[in-house]
C-alpha cells in the first residue's frame, strides 16, 4: 500500500509537472470537502515544485499516509474517470499510470462485446500469428515462422499452453503433422526447468497440471500420427518436466509399444503412396496377388485428347495382373461355360481407396470336376507333389471340421480408371493377347455398385450368351463411388 | 476402442438366446454383464428367422430396444399371442435345457465324450452358415456416443459367410467430452446355459486363433474378453491386430494367444500378463483406423487350434522402467 501511495504521489507530481509544461492550469474538479481540497492544495504546492520550498521525502510520505483515505477516494473517482470527463481529455486519468498514451475510454470500464460480424468466428488467442497473406502458402516454413513469431513477441511466453494447443490444431492445415522436428519445436516453446518438481510435495501433487496435460497432448498427437519420438524429445521432456512426470511416462510407453508393434503388419503398405494412378494401381495389384510370379501388364496409359486438361482423361489407365497358374487355368477352361467380370470392389491402402475388377468363372459342379494326376515317374529329381502334414500319427488331426467356402477360380485382376463396360472390354482384348482361348469364351459383365461385397451368385443359371462379350449391367453409380472415395 | 461397452444398471434386459425363437426368461435379474446390456445400445443384427408361433417379444415383461425385424411372418401363419402359454413354454424350455445339462455332465464336458475333447486339436467355434449363426453376434458402432458410423451384418454370398459392412466416420460427436470418434465393432454374445446362467469357453488346450476372412485392406483389432463377473474385469480385454490383405482371395489369419496384450479401459496397461484360456467370454472385432469411408469384412468361420510349431508363452515382457514394483 505504501508503495502505491508513493507511486501515486510521484505520478501526481509528474502529472502536475506535465500539465505545467503543457501550460494550462489544471485543477481537478473533484467533489471533495473543502477541508480535503485545502489539504490537496497544500500537498500540491508542496510536492509539485522541485525548486520551491521542497519538502523532504519523509514528510511527503507522511502527508501521503495522512491523506490516504481521502486520497483513496480521489483515486477511485479518478480511476473511474467520471470527474475527469469534465476536464479536457489530456489530463492523466489513472494516477498510477504515468505514460502519455491515452485512450478515449478507460480500459477498466468493461467494453460491451462487439457485435459478431456475420460469419467471423471469435478467434482463439494467438490465432493472428497463423494468419497470413492471401498468397502465402501453408507449409513447414510458414508454420515455423509463426511459432518463432510467438516466441519473439512474448519473451515470457505468456499463454504458451493455449498457443501449443492452437498449433496442434493447425498442424494438419500446414501438412506437418508427421514431422518430428515440428513436434520438438513445439515442445521447445515450454519454459525449461520451471515445471520440474523440486521437493517431495511437488512430486506428490501434480506439479503444474495444465502444462503437463499440454505436454501429454503433444505426445498424443504424435502417437495418433505414428511419429516416433527421438532422443531430442526425451531431452526436452526431461528438461521441461523432469523424469518423474506424466509426459515422460508417456514417452517411455511410446518408446516401448511403438518398437513392439512396428513390424507386425504382414502386408506392409508404404507410408508415402505414389500419386501417379498407374503406379498406385501397380502397387495395389502386387499387394493383392499372393503369387509372386504374377506379371503386371499395363494395357493402356492414361491419355487425354485435350492436353491441357489432365483431370478428365478420355482414355483411362488399365492395368492388369495375371499369374502363370491363372493363365494355365484359363487355357483349360471349357469354352461352353461363361466367365464373369465382377466388380468394382474396394481396396484400401492406408487412407486411399482404389477399385478393382476380377475375371472369374463359376465353380464346377462336383461331378464335372476332374483331378489332374501327375504320373509319379515324370520327374526323377524331386517329387512333384509333396504332402507335408503336421500329424505325428493317426491321432493328430489339425483340420477343421467344416467345409470351407468354395468359390470359382479367379483368372485375372485389373484396375482401371473408369468402371464402365468399354474400358473393361479393352482389358479383355488386352488379355486375349496372352490368353488366346479367351476369344472363344463368352464373357458376362456383372458390375455392381453396392457396397463392395462380392455379388451373390444365382448359382450360375443365367443363360450364357454365345457372342462375346455381352454386357448386362446392374445399376451403376461409379461417379458417386469415386467421389466418395476421394472425399 | 473399449468405449463400446457401457453397463446399464437397473433395467430389465431382454436378450435373444442363441436358440432361435426363445425369448429370455422373465425372471432375469439385472446384474448382467455388459455384453447383455450392449444389446440395448444398438444391435443391428440381421433380421432373424420368423419366430415360432408362440410369442412376440412385446408380450413378455421388460422392454427391448432392438431394431431387429423379428416378426416377419407369413399372413396365414399368425403368431399366437398368449402370455400364459409363452411363459409356460419358456419354463419348459429352460427345464429341458437343465436336464440336458445334467445328462451331458455324465457323458463328458459339453456333452461330448472325454476322449474326443482331450484329443481335439482344431475346433470350429463360430461358423456362418445360416441366419441363426448371425444371432450370436452383436454389432455396435459409435452411434452410441453420438458419432456417425454405420455398420451392418448380414449373410454373405450363398449363405456361406457373414458380411460385416458399413461406413466409418471419424467426426467427433459434439457432446463436449469426446475428442475423437469413429469405431465399429462386432462382438459375440456370451454363451448361456439353462436359466440364463453364463457359460464360458474353455480353450486351454489350444494355442492359436484361426480366422478365415476376406477384407478390404483395413487393419482390424481382435479383442478377447474373459469372465466378466468381477466388476473390474468388464473393462479389461486382451487384444491384437488383424491385418487384412484385400483382394478376391480368402485369407487365413492365425493369431497365437501369446500375442494378445492386456488393456484396461481402452489403454494398454504397463504390467502385462498372458491371456488365460480357461474362461473366455467373448471375442470381438473392432475397426477404428481413423480413415473415413466404407468398409467390409467377410468372415467364413472362426476356430481355434493347436499350432505345434508355436512354443512362445507370452510375447511381452515387463520392463523395470515402467514397472519398478514388479522387479523389487
Amino acid at each position: 500500500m505504501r508503495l502505491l501511495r508513493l507511486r501515486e504521489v510521484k505520478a501526481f507530481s509528474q502529472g502536475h509537472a506535465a500539465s505545467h509544461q503543457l501550460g494550462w492550469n489544471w485543477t481537478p474538479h473533484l467533489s471533495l470537502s473543502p477541508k480535503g481540497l485545502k489539504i490537496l492544495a497544500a500537498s500540491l504546492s508542496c510536492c509539485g515544485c522541485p525548486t520551491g520550498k521542497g519538502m523532504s521525502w519523509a514528510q511527503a510520505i507522511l502527508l501521503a499516509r495522512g491523506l490516504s483515505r481521502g486520497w483513496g477516494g480521489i483515486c477511485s473517482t479518478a480511476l473511474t474517470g467520471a470527474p475527469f470527463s469534465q476536464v479536457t481529455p489530456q489530463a492523466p486519468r489513472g494516477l498510477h499510470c504515468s505514460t502519455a498514451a491515452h485512450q478515449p475510454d478507460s480500459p477498466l470500464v468493461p467494453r460491451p462485446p462487439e457485435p459478431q460480424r456475420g460469419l467471423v468466428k471469435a478467434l482463439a488467442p494467438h490465432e493472428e500469428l497463423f494468419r497470413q497473406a492471401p498468397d502465402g502458402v501453408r507449409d513447414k516454413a510458414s508454420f515455423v515462422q509463426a511459432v518463432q513469431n510467438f516466441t519473439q513477441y512474448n519473451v515470457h511466453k505468456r499463454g504458451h499452453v493455449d498457443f501449443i494447443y492452437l498449433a496442434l490444431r493447425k498442424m494438419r492445415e500446414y501438412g506437418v503433422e508427421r514431422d518430428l522436428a515440428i513436434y520438438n519445436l513445439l515442445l521447445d516453446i515450454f519454459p525449461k526447468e520451471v515445471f520440474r518438481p523440486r521437493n517431495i510435495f511437488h512430486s506428490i501433487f501434480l506439479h503444474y497440471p495444465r502444462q503437463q496435460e499440454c505436454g501429454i497432448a503433444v505426445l498424443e498427437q504424435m502417437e495418433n500420427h505414428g511419429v516416433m519420438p527421438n532422443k531430442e524429445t526425451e531431452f526436452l521432456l526431461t528438461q521441461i518436466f523432469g523424469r518423474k512426470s506424466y509426459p515422460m511416462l508417456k514417452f517411455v510407453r511410446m518408446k516401448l509399444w511403438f518398437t513392439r508393434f512396428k513390424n507386425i503388419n504382414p502386408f506392409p503398405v508404404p507410408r508415402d503412396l505414389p500419386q501417379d494412378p498407374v503406379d498406385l494401381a501397380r502397387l495395389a495389384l502386387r499387394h493383392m496377388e499372393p503369387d509372386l510370379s504374377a506379371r503386371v501388364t499395363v494395357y493402356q496409359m492414361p491419355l487425354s485428347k485435350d492436353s491441357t486438361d489432365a483431370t478428365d482423361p478420355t482414355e483411362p489407365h488399365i492395368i492388369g495382373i495375371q499369374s502363370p497358374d491363372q493363365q494355365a487355368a484359363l487355357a483349360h477352361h471349357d469354352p461352353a461355360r461363361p466367365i464373369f467380370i465382377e466388380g468394382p470392389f474396394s481396396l484400401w491402402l492406408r487412407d486411399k481407396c482404389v477399385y478393382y475388377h476380377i475375371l472369374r468363372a463359376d465353380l464346377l459342379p462336383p461331378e464335372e470336376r476332374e483331378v489332374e494326376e501327375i504320373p509319379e515317374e515324370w520327374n526323377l529329381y524331386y517329387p512333384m507333389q509333396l504332402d507335408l502334414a503336421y500329424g505325428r500319427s493317426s491321432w493328430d488331426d489339425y483340420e477343421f471340421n467344416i467345409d470351407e467356402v468354395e468359390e470359382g477360380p479367379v483368372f485375372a485382376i485389373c484396375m482401371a480408371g473408369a468402371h464402365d463396360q468399354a474400358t473393361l472390354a479393352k482389358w479383355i482384348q488386352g488379355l486375349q493377347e496372352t490368353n488366346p482361348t479367351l476369344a472363344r469364351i463368352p464373357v458376362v459383365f456383372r458390375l455392381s455398385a453396392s457396397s463392395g461385397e462380392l455379388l451373390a451368385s444365382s448359382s450360375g443359371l443365367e443363360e450364357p450368351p454365345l457372342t462375346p462379350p455381352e454386357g448386362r449391367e446392374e445399376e451403376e453409380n461409379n461417379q458417386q463411388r469415386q467421389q466418395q472415395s476421394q472425399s | 476402442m473399449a468405449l463400446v461397452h457401457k453397463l446399464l444398471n437397473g433395467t430389465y434386459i431382454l436378450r435373444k438366446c442363441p436358440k432361435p425363437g426363445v425369448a429370455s426368461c422373465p425372471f432375469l435379474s439385472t446384474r448382467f454383464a455388459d455384453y447383455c446390456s450392449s444389446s440395448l445400445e444398438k444391435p443391428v443384427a440381421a433380421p432373424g428367422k420368423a419366430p415360432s408361433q408362440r410369442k412376440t417379444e412385446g408380450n413378455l415383461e421388460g422392454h427391448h430396444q432392438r431394431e431387429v425385424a423379428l416378426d416377419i411372418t407369413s399372413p396365414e401363419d399368425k403368431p399366437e399371442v398368449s402370455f400364459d402359454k409363452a411363459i409356460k413354454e419358456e419354463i419348459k424350455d429352460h427345464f429341458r435345457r437343465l436336464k440336458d445339462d445334467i445328462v451331458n455332465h455324465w457323458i463328458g464336458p459339453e456333452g461330448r465324450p472325454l476322449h474326443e475333447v482331450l484329443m481335439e486339436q482344431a475346433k470350429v467355434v463360430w461358423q456362418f452358415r445360416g441366419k441363426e449363426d448371425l444371432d450370436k453376434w452383436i454389432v455396435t458402432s459409435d452411434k452410441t456416443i453420438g458419432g456417425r458410423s454405420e455398420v451392418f451384418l448380414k449373410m454373405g454370398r450363398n449363405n456361406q459367410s457373414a458380411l460385416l459392412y458399413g461406413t466409418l466416420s471419424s467426426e467427433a460427436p459434439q457432446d463436449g467430452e469426446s475428442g475423437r470418434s469413429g469405431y465399429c465393432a462386432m462382438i459375440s454374445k456370451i454363451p448361456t446355459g439353462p436359466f440364463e446362467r453364463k457359460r464360458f469357453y474353455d480353450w486351454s488346450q489350444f494355442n492359436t486363433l484361426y480366422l478365415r476372412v476376406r477384407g478390404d485392406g483395413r487393419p482390424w483389432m481382435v479383442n478377447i474378453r474373459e469372465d466378466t463377473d468381477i466388476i473390474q474385469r468388464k473393462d479389461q480385454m486382451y487384444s491384437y491386430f488383424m491385418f487384412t490383405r484385400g483382394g478376391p482371395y480368402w485369407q487365413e489369419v492365425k493369431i497365437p494367444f501369446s500375442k494378445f496384450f492386456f488393456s484396461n479401459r481402452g489403454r494398454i496397461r504397463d504390467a502385462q500378463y498372458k491371456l488365460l484360456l480357461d474362461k473366455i467370454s467373448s471375442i470381438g472385432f473392432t475397426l477404428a483406423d481413423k480413415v473415413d469411408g466404407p468398409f467390409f469384412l467377410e468372415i467364413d468361420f472362426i476356430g481355434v487350434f493347436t499350432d505345434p510349431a508355436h512354443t512362445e508363452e507370452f510375447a511381452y515382457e515387463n520392463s523395470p522402467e515402467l514397472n519398478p514394483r514388479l522387479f523389487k
Side-chain angles (χ1 to χ4, degrees), chain A residues 30 32-46 63 67 71 74:
Chain A
L30 299 171
L32 271 182
S33 59
K35 185 181 177 198
L37 263 173
K38 269 193 212 159
I39 296 169
L40 190 56
S43 68
L44 261 179
S45 57
C46 288
L63 198 61
L67 289 174
W71 208 240
I74 294 169

Side-chain angles (χ1 to χ4, degrees), chain B residues 188-231:
Chain B
S188 76
K189 290 193 191 158
I190 306 180
T192 50
F195 297 112
E196 305 297 328
R197 285 186 67 228
K198 262 192 291 189
R199 280 233 207 92
F200 310 104
Y201 298 108
D202 182 7
W203 295 338
S204 32
Q205 26 176 339
F206 306 107
N207 70 356
T208 318
L209 182 70
Y210 179 97
L211 304 143
R212 189 153 193 262
V213 295
R214 180 160 54 187
D216 55 350
R218 290 223 193 191
W220 290 76
M221 197 162 182
V222 182
N223 308 319
I224 295 186
R225 286 216 169 182
E226 290 197 326
D227 169 22
T228 43
D229 263 340
I230 307 174
I231 197 83

Side-chain angles (χ1 to χ4, degrees), chain B residues 4-8 13 15 33-44 66 138-140 144 187-189:
Chain B
V4 177
H5 318 295
K6 291 186 184 147
L7 182 64
L8 296 160
I13 300 155
R15 290 174 302 113
D34 35 326
Y35 278 97
C36 315
S37 65
S38 61
S39 67
L40 280 168
E41 286 173 336
K42 205 183 149 105
V44 196
R66 292 174 143 266
I138 298 174
V139 173
T140 51
T144 54
I187 310 138
S188 76
K189 290 193 191 158

Side-chain angles (χ1 to χ4, degrees), chain B residues 12-117:
Chain B
Y12 273 123
I13 300 155
L14 251 187
R15 290 174 302 113
K16 237 186 147 214
C17 301
K19 268 199 189 162
V22 173
S24 48
C25 188
F27 17 80
L28 270 184
S29 77
T30 59
R31 56 152 192 99
F32 264 60
D34 35 326
Y35 278 97
C36 315
S37 65
S38 61
S39 67
L40 280 168
E41 286 173 336
K42 205 183 149 105
V44 196
K49 289 185 354 186
S52 55
Q53 47 148 260
R54 45 182 184 195
K55 56 119 191 84
T56 35
E57 297 252 323
N59 262 351
L60 302 172
E61 314 170 23
H63 51 272
H64 65 102
Q65 296 165 23
R66 292 174 143 266
E67 283 184 14
V68 182
L70 286 170
D71 309 322
I72 310 171
T73 49
S74 49
E76 55 274 8
D77 184 22
K78 283 210 196 98
E80 266 181 49
V81 179
S82 155
F83 187 67
D84 292 325
K85 197 156 173 221
I87 294 244
K88 266 190 242 163
E89 291 282 347
E90 188 67 41
I91 296 173
K92 267 195 252 175
D93 190 60
H94 276 292
F95 274 111
R96 199 182 327 130
R97 281 204 275 168
L98 182 64
K99 182 208 72 165
D100 284 339
D101 210 28
I102 295 172
V103 165
N104 285 341
H105 188 70
W106 288 106
I107 302 176
E110 292 161 33
R112 289 147 72 211
L114 188 65
H115 66 267
E116 204 183 293
V117 171

Side-chain angles (χ1 to χ4, degrees), chain A residues 22-286:
Chain A
L22 285 169
W24 41 271
N25 231 348
W26 170 60
T27 44
H29 296 272
L30 299 171
S31 52
L32 271 182
S33 59
K35 185 181 177 198
L37 263 173
K38 269 193 212 159
I39 296 169
L40 190 56
S43 68
L44 261 179
S45 57
C46 288
C47 310
C49 324
T51 55
K53 282 187 211 150
M55 245 163 59
S56 77
W57 195 237
Q59 281 174 330
I61 290 169
L62 284 170
L63 198 61
R65 251 198 231 158
L67 289 174
S68 64
R69 283 215 192 110
W71 208 240
I74 294 169
C75 281
S76 53
T77 46
L79 286 172
T80 51
F84 283 84
S85 54
Q86 302 163 1
V87 190
T88 54
Q90 290 281 334
R93 66 206 141 122
L95 288 162
H96 55 273
C97 176
S98 57
T99 53
H102 184 64
Q103 278 135 36
D105 38 306
S106 158
L108 299 157
V109 177
R111 223 173 289 183
E114 280 169 3
Q116 299 282 341
R117 286 161 294 203
L119 304 162
V120 174
K121 284 195 291 192
L123 290 179
H126 309 297
E127 187 148 347
E128 65 276 3
L129 287 169
F130 284 98
R131 228 186 299 158
Q132 331 169 281
D135 56 342
V137 60
R138 296 189 161 206
D139 64 343
K140 183 171 168 176
S142 47
F143 191 89
V144 171
Q145 184 64 41
V147 171
Q148 276 168 357
N149 283 349
F150 173 79
T151 44
Q152 281 162 12
Y153 155 74
N154 203 340
V155 178
H156 298 285
K157 312 250 176 81
R158 271 190 216 107
H160 60 273
V161 173
D162 287 323
F163 179 74
I164 291 179
Y165 280 128
L166 174 69
L168 286 175
R169 282 198 295 270
K170 293 271 183 186
M171 264 176 152
R172 192 165 263 266
E173 283 174 28
Y174 287 73
V176 291
E177 68 264 9
R178 280 199 261 127
D179 197 341
L180 180 60
I182 298 284
Y183 285 110
N184 285 339
L185 190 72
L186 282 188
L187 279 179
D188 209 18
I189 298 176
F190 280 109
K192 315 288 186 298
E193 313 282 344
V194 183
F195 307 137
R196 291 174 79 158
R198 242 165 277 180
N199 51 40
I200 186 127
F201 300 107
H202 286 171
S203 36
I204 290 174
F205 299 103
L206 187 63
H207 200 46
Y208 281 101
R210 298 285 153 251
Q211 278 78 3
Q212 288 211 13
E213 273 170 27
C214 186
I216 291 177
V218 174
L219 287 172
E220 195 171 329
Q221 186 160 22
M222 259 204 263
E223 180 188 350
N224 284 345
H225 290 285
V227 178
M228 177 82 187
N230 65 356
K231 280 214 169 304
E232 195 187 334
T233 323
E234 182 178 3
F235 181 69
L236 277 167
L237 287 175
T238 317
Q239 235 188 355
I240 300 166
F241 295 110
R243 221 159 332 117
K244 297 269 183 183
S245 57
Y246 283 101
M248 198 60 202
L249 188 58
K250 186 172 173 77
F251 170 82
V252 170
R253 285 182 186 135
M254 272 166 87
K255 218 168 50 157
L256 178 70
W257 290 104
F258 276 23
T259 43
R260 276 181 179 164
F261 292 144
K262 197 166 149 74
N263 295 319
I264 55 171
N265 191 348
F267 317 113
V269 177
R271 203 155 247 275
D272 301 312
L273 289 171
Q275 298 294 324
D276 182 26
V278 175
D279 288 333
L280 186 65
R282 212 187 286 256
L283 179 76
L285 286 173
R286 276 252 169 259

